[in-house]
Amino acid sequence: MLSLHPIETLLLCRRLLGLSLVISGVEHLRIARLLPTHFPLTATFGAQGRHGIMRVLTQAFGQRVWMGFMTIQTLLAALLLVTGQGTVLLPLLFLAWLGCVRFRGTFNGGSDMMTFVVGLPLAVQAVLPEHPAISGLAIAAIATQLLLSYLLAGVAKLREPMWRDGSALAILVNREHYQVPPWFRLFATKPAVSRLLSHAMLAFECAAPLALFNRSVCYGYLALAFCFHLGNAVTLGLNRFVWAWLAAFPCLPALAAMLSTLRPG
């Protein structure tokens, strides 16, 4: 079974995170051309900020400056993708944080948060590469957050009757916000189909801890997870989730391998 050294695992994570940030940077550059020159920052900072912080933020996040920031992000992310150079992680995370300030919260929800979940441990390990314990902790932190992203979502859904009977999924695919393809909306809103899909999703998400007990199971679970995110991208338009979560994938088999050495026999 494929097994990577912890340093190789983290290098792969850095490259995959670079790919994710290249894609998000290119998307931001395309979107910036369609946005107004300034966001209505008074909605956040109120009248008191009109002559102070709001003026600064309005200038800092105007269209031209913002496109400059995203150009830098895309170039740094491309460098991370090609070289795996960890020194660019802190500037990249700073630019990602600026995006949260610019849009008064995450621009793309969970995928932006996963960028920080993966990027922060990688940045710490890049600063302290000579400490093997730091590499192990970075792998454990990323893999744990990856598992929790599935498990907590599954447990939360399992407590809701509408997810257990499939009706929540039918409501979700009917929301105009996601622009679900008509063929999938027609398919997924059938009661038997929505119930089956909901039960499959609940089983997948709640079974996340099983990936730690055996590396073969771990790779199988990651294959299902990739299909899950790919399906969400096709049907719900959540394309960034594929790449943000993919950046964390290498840490899960690495953590499973680390735990296997602690078991007796």
Side-chain angles (χ1 to χ4, degrees), residues 27-241:
E27 288 186 348
H28 270 298
L29 287 171
R30 293 186 64 186
I31 292 170
R33 293 183 175 90
L34 305 176
L35 292 177
T37 303
H38 304 300
F39 262 44
L41 294 171
T42 50
T44 298
F45 298 105
Q48 294 180 352
R50 290 182 181 177
H51 302 293
I53 190 172
M54 198 202 75
R55 179 185 298 174
V56 174
L57 292 175
T58 299
Q59 293 297 321
F61 294 126
Q63 185 182 33
R64 184 173 299 177
V65 175
W66 179 246
M67 290 183 71
F69 285 152
M70 288 301 98
T71 300
I72 294 171
Q73 174 183 306
T74 304
L75 293 174
L76 289 176
L79 180 63
L80 183 62
L81 171 62
V82 173
T83 68
Q85 180 57 255
T87 55
V88 302
L89 281 165
L90 287 177
L92 277 171
L93 291 174
F94 176 71
L95 288 168
W97 174 78
L98 281 182
C100 293
V101 176
R102 170 67 170 85
F103 294 102
R104 295 167 299 203
T106 57
F107 177 73
N108 204 242
S111 66
D112 289 343
M113 294 307 299
M114 199 62 172
T115 296
F116 288 104
V117 163
V118 177
L120 286 172
L122 291 178
V124 172
Q125 189 275 335
V127 172
L128 301 168
E130 68 277 6
H131 297 284
I134 299 296
S135 297
L137 287 172
I139 288 172
I142 294 170
T144 300
Q145 290 296 322
L146 175 65
L147 286 179
L148 289 175
S149 72
Y150 298 124
L151 179 61
L152 295 181
V155 170
K157 291 185 183 76
L158 192 60
R159 297 172 60 183
E160 297 294 332
M162 293 181 67
W163 276 107
R164 296 198 300 271
D165 66 19
S167 57
L169 181 62
I171 294 172
L172 179 69
V173 299
N174 273 314
R175 288 183 177 174
E176 294 183 3
H177 172 74
Y178 290 108
Q179 296 185 344
V180 176
W183 65 268
F184 185 74
R185 183 182 293 115
L186 181 64
F187 174 71
T189 51
K190 296 178 180 179
V193 174
S194 63
R195 188 179 303 111
L196 178 63
L197 291 175
S198 294
H199 288 177
M201 180 166 55
L202 289 171
F204 159 72
E205 291 181 331
C206 292
L210 296 178
L212 292 177
F213 290 96
N214 182 285
R215 273 195 291 171
S216 297
V217 175
C218 180
Y219 285 115
Y221 188 84
L222 288 177
L224 288 175
F226 181 77
C227 292
F228 171 73
H229 290 296
L230 191 61
N232 285 338
V234 172
T235 58
L236 300 176
L238 302 176
N239 60 301
R240 286 198 199 176
F241 281 65

